[in-house]
């Protein structure tokens, strides 16, 4: 798959009651269109291990596929509850999300894109807070 090289920043804000955590990932990746969907791919490192991420964006839906030391397959659909799995070397969990918002925009002139989605997360039946994810990317300079 030939993609356009991009520089990407993913910011995840997690709120659980009074607790707030922000996780930032900066990476180089690829951006491409296939059918009516946009794909963004990048790798992140977690405790020295590589995790491949594929984010598919279509209409009011985001599909996140992660593979490597952590694997996950989950669909976030605006105003819907969806069920997926999250697997780490330690265990495998069922994840259930209630997605509140999915917003995606791409500016052809500036070659910049931004995806925002927020959801309430339940891990193995336990409420673990509200997550807001923003993925910003721009075409890498040649």
């Amino acid at each position: 798959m030939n993609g356009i090289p991009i520089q990407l920043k993913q910011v995840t804000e997690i709120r659980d009651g009074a607790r707030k955590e922000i996780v930032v990932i900066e990476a180089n990746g690829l951006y491409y269109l296939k059918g009516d969907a946009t794909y963004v791919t990048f790798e992140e490192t977690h405790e020295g291990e590589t995790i491949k991420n594929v984010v598919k964006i279509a209409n009011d839906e985001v599909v996140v596929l992660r593979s490597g030391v952590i694997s996950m397959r989950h669909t976030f659909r605006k105003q819907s509850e969806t069920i997926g799995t999250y697997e780490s070397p330690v265990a495998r969990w069922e994840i259930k999300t209630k997605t509140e918002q999915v917003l995606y925009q791409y500016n052809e002139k500036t070659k910049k894109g931004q995806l925002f989605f927020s959801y309430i997360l339940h891990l193995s039946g336990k409420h673990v807070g509200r997550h807001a994810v923003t993925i910003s990317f721009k075409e890498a300079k040649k």
Side-chain angles (χ1 to χ4, degrees), residues 19-85:
R19 189 178 73 83
K20 181 178 165 181
E21 183 185 348
I22 293 181
V23 180
V24 178
I25 296 168
E26 294 197 47
N28 291 321
L30 294 172
Y31 157 84
Y32 58 93
L33 300 170
K34 185 174 163 189
D36 59 358
T38 299
Y39 290 81
V40 175
T41 66
F42 63 97
E43 290 183 353
E44 67 181 282
T45 306
H46 180 74
E47 294 173 1
E49 301 283 341
T50 300
I51 302 164
K52 286 188 164 74
N53 291 275
V54 177
V55 180
K56 176 186 173 193
I57 309 156
N59 303 326
D60 285 341
E61 189 174 282
V62 175
V63 180
V64 176
L65 302 169
R66 298 172 84 194
S67 58
V69 65
I70 289 175
S71 76
M72 174 178 140
R73 180 187 184 92
H74 196 75
T75 302
F76 299 90
R77 192 173 297 117
K78 188 174 175 177
Q79 297 301 317
S80 299
E81 272 193 4
T82 50
I83 292 173
T85 55

